[in-house]
Amino acid sequence: MPPSSASSAPSVPSPAARLRRPRRPDWWSDPKVWRTEILGGLVVGLALIPEAISFSVIAGVDPQIGLFAAFTMAVTISIVGGRRAMISAATGAVALVIAPLNREHGFGYLVAAVILAGVFQIVLGALGVAKLMRFVPRSVMVGFVNALAIMIFMAQVPEMTDVPWAVYPLIVGGLALMVFFPKVTKAVPAPLVSIVILTVITVAAGIAVPTVGDKGALPSSLPVPGLPDVPFTFETLRIIAPYALAMALVGLMESLMTAKLVDEITDSRSSKTRESIGQGIANIVTGFFGGMGGCAMIGQTMINVKVSGARTRLSTFLAGVFLMVLCVVFGPIVSEIPMGALVAVMVMVCFATFDWHSIAPKTLKRMPAGEIVVMVLTVVVVVATSNLAIGVVVGSITAMVIFARRVAHVANVTPVTDPDGGRVVYSVTGELFFASSNDLVTQFDYAGDPDKVVIDLSATHIWDASSVAALDAIETKYAERGKAVEIVGFNPDSAALHGRLSGELTASG
């Protein structure tokens, strides 16, 4: 008996069954994933300590302020952020922005600015600022990554100058361990092994080298929430608003660029809008706990994602938790970690982060000159200003200018005259916008054409008012010679724009 159509049709799961179906793989039941996430968070927690202390010095605040910010940012963003496994904490870019405010007005105003910056980030995220990331071209992204690797390395240079000679063997030994240990096993992250072994060697042998403890005192208790110590007046708002807005923009730029980079590394997508709003929430929480604020940290994110192989929010959460546990509970032990061990980790991150393929002679020969210029300019501006956001903006604007110049000459006009000479049809191809429309007016033979002129736009698109004005100018030039112009072939969008603006762009229209 043949099966009925009802029995052969594919079964549709019930709503209850769809709710029971897991949306993602059950990573929480995989011991290997737990091990990767826990150890990755531990490595990042260790690496965050000297970084947070250094950024505190840049901002002109007590080292504990930077460590508190790293803790609250990482824990909060692990819950509300849009990019899994990305690390957020106190950063150098944010420290540079708010340092003048702390210096001129005091710590209370700094904390108030951090909270206001969080509010700005939530508003910007809700308004869709994350969508602007689509205008960042690949050449800028490559320049951002390469500049980042250079800046991470440059940040390690002070730890390698004017130091005891024993620091250099420690760095070389740490690099060797991270290169060769994964060939033995990948069960434990090589950076963690390197840090532990080098710490044991220096302590057991009594080698006098700079340690984490030399960077500053570690906190002995958890941060306590409270309100910023400032007068709640419009004058306070006037003082902190410019710094808060600058911090919000810089923080969002770095966070969204980092999220985009992690998307590419992990071959997955993330919600940039949720990440933007999450960064704002994390900064508000950080401000109320007396932290200096922050954003995504590309170096620590690369340790977590690329070196340790972490992929979930657990590693981000544990990075913040481990940071505070290491400081409060194991402070004396953590203070003995040699800075050379952490420098070795960051140098390895630099090597892994840099896009070596982008500077290979074979790649440079095939790459358009404009793409190379944008990439190099992004790197130069970032390194010169020590600000990733400025480099990305300059690189993106340069890429847009180069693109506009390139497509400005794409619009072509081809005339075809009827055999009887009664009319001429001009076929326009390419894109019509402010750059290409300027040349459009010069491509017609106003004096030599017959009395009837047809302009066919079926192979083009009108993008802006400049193009409409150019078409109006063409019609005017023909009209002055007593010739009639018919424009045909509008697509719906072009027709709507032309119908709305034609004849309205000049005072005499």
Side-chain angles (χ1 to χ4, degrees):
M1 180 177 177
S4 65
S5 59
S7 62
S8 61
S11 61
V12 178
S14 66
R18 286 197 296 268
L19 288 174
R20 289 194 300 268
R21 182 180 300 165
R23 297 178 61 186
R24 297 192 184 99
D26 294 335
W27 62 264
W28 49 268
S29 62
D30 188 345
K32 293 182 179 179
V33 174
W34 276 87
R35 181 182 61 205
T36 299
E37 300 297 314
I38 292 173
L39 294 178
L42 179 57
V43 174
V44 173
L46 286 168
L48 278 173
I49 294 173
E51 293 282 321
I53 294 174
S54 297
F55 298 145
S56 300
V57 174
I58 294 174
V61 298
D62 188 274
Q64 298 187 33
I65 303 303
L67 292 167
F68 288 156
F71 165 63
T72 54
M73 286 291 298
V75 170
T76 306
I77 205 67
S78 69
I79 301 171
V80 300
R83 173 65 258 177
R84 298 188 300 276
M86 193 167 76
I87 305 298
S88 292
T91 59
V94 169
L96 288 170
V97 170
I98 60 177
L101 177 62
N102 180 64
R103 185 170 56 250
E104 296 172 13
H105 298 280
F107 180 67
Y109 285 85
L110 181 150
V111 172
V114 170
I115 296 173
L116 182 59
V119 174
F120 283 150
Q121 288 178 329
I122 292 175
V123 173
L124 291 171
L127 292 176
V129 69
K131 294 179 181 178
L132 296 177
M133 289 303 297
R134 71 182 68 179
F135 296 106
V136 179
R138 183 183 182 279
S139 53
V140 174
M141 191 69 186
V142 173
F144 166 82
V145 170
N146 291 344
L148 187 60
I150 294 172
M151 288 184 63
I152 294 174
F153 180 81
M154 290 175 61
Q156 312 311 310
V157 172
E159 305 297 336
M160 296 185 285
T161 55
D162 298 324
V163 294
W165 68 268
V167 170
Y168 303 109
L170 287 175
I171 295 174
V172 174
L175 292 172
L177 282 169
M178 285 182 284
V179 170
F180 295 109
F181 186 80
K183 300 181 184 299
V184 178
T185 178
K186 294 184 179 179
V188 182
L192 180 59
V193 174
S194 175
I195 292 171
V196 171
I197 291 178
L198 295 182
T199 302
V200 170
I201 291 175
T202 54
V203 172
I207 302 175
V209 292
T211 63
V212 170
D214 297 331
K215 287 289 184 180
L218 302 181
S220 57
S221 61
L222 295 175
V224 178
L227 295 175
D229 184 18
V230 294
F232 292 91
T233 63
F234 283 106
E235 177 62 16
T236 299
L237 182 63
R238 183 191 67 79
I239 293 173
I240 67 174
Y243 295 96
L245 181 60
M247 174 184 165
L249 294 174
V250 169
L252 282 182
M253 178 69 73
E254 292 207 24
S255 298
L256 294 176
M257 289 294 291
T258 305
K260 186 176 180 181
L261 177 60
V262 177
D263 286 352
E264 294 183 1
I265 293 173
T266 61
D267 193 24
S268 62
R269 298 182 63 183
S270 61
S271 172
K272 305 303 184 297
T273 298
R274 178 175 174 178
E275 182 62 38
S276 301
I277 296 174
Q279 288 289 332
I281 295 173
N283 271 306
I284 291 174
V285 172
T286 299
F288 281 119
F289 275 91
M292 57 181 280
C295 62
M297 298 190 75
I298 184 67
Q300 276 64 26
T301 298
M302 289 299 100
I303 293 176
N304 196 44
V305 174
K306 206 164 187 178
V307 179
S308 299
R311 292 292 183 272
T312 76
R313 299 178 184 275
L314 180 61
S315 57
T316 306
F317 177 82
L318 290 178
V321 172
F322 281 141
L323 165 68
M324 197 51 55
V325 170
L326 289 168
C327 291
V328 176
V329 180
F330 300 102
I333 298 175
V334 173
S335 297
E336 296 298 326
I337 296 176
M339 285 302 300
L342 297 175
V343 169
V345 172
M346 298 310 295
V347 170
M348 182 60 70
V349 169
C350 298
F351 185 84
T353 301
F354 197 91
D355 188 348
W356 298 100
H357 177 72
S358 66
I359 61 172
K362 185 177 180 180
T363 303
L364 294 176
K365 287 181 181 179
R366 296 181 178 180
M367 191 72 65
E371 302 281 322
I372 297 175
V373 169
V374 171
M375 180 184 70
V376 173
L377 182 63
T378 302
V379 172
V380 171
V381 172
V382 169
V383 174
T385 62
S386 298
N387 192 314
L388 293 167
I390 295 177
V392 170
V393 170
V394 172
S396 298
I397 293 175
T398 304
M400 292 177 186
V401 171
I402 292 175
F403 174 77
R405 287 177 58 86
R406 184 182 303 161
V407 300
H409 307 291
V410 172
N412 294 313
V413 177
T414 305
V416 177
T417 305
D418 283 351
D420 60 1
R423 72 170 188 170
V424 61
V425 178
Y426 283 96
S427 178
V428 181
T429 60
E431 303 298 319
L432 293 182
F433 67 112
F434 63 90
S436 60
S437 60
N438 292 329
D439 294 334
L440 183 67
V441 181
T442 65
Q443 299 188 51
F444 294 85
D445 186 3
Y446 302 101
D449 283 340
D451 291 341
K452 186 172 183 181
V453 178
V454 178
I455 301 176
D456 184 5
L457 301 180
S458 57
T460 188
H461 184 95
I462 298 176
W463 288 103
D464 58 9
S466 298
S467 303
V468 176
L471 292 174
D472 285 352
I474 293 169
E475 290 186 272
T476 300
K477 288 179 179 293
Y478 276 115
E480 290 172 350
R481 293 167 174 81
K483 301 176 181 181
V485 176
E486 180 184 7
I487 303 178
V488 299
F490 286 112
N491 60 41
D493 291 339
S494 298
L497 182 64
H498 184 267
R500 187 168 68 251
L501 296 180
S502 181
E504 304 294 332
L505 299 174
T506 60
S508 59

